[in-house]
């Protein structure tokens, strides 16, 4: 179940970042795929997650060939 949730959330986050999913429709889109939204998923969480996702995409774009992008999990 967790893997499915991660996949659905990731797919919708990608859609959100490229305009395929509108931010006000994100939670409803997740609910449509999973039957319910994961606990704690709010508009505020979506906003923060999108900002962090875009930040990481921008960092990844600047990684030189052969280099790595290190992440610290909190």
């Amino acid at each position: 179940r967790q893997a499915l949730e991660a996949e659905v959330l990731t797919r919708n986050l990608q859609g959100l970042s490229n305009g395929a999913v509108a931010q006000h429709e994100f939670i409803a889109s997740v609910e449509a795929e999973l039957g319910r939204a994961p606990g704690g998923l709010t508009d505020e969480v979506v906003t923060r997650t999108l900002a962090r996702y875009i930040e990481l995409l921008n960092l990844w774009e600047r990684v030189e060939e052969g280099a790595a992008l290190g992440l610290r999990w909190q």
Side-chain angles (χ1 to χ4, degrees), residues 14 18-19 21 33 39 44 46 51 53 60 67 70 72:
Q14 290 170 332
N18 68 26
V21 176
E33 288 192 65
E44 181 182 337
V46 172
Y53 179 71
W60 178 247
R72 178 177 291 144

Side-chain angles (χ1 to χ4, degrees), residues 8-41:
V8 169
L9 289 166
T10 300
R11 184 173 43 255
N12 280 282
L13 183 61
Q14 290 170 332
L16 188 58
S17 72
N18 68 26
V21 176
Q23 187 154 350
H24 68 276
E25 296 173 341
F26 183 90
I27 294 174
S29 181
V30 169
E31 288 174 338
E33 288 192 65
L34 294 176
R36 61 168 182 73
L41 186 62

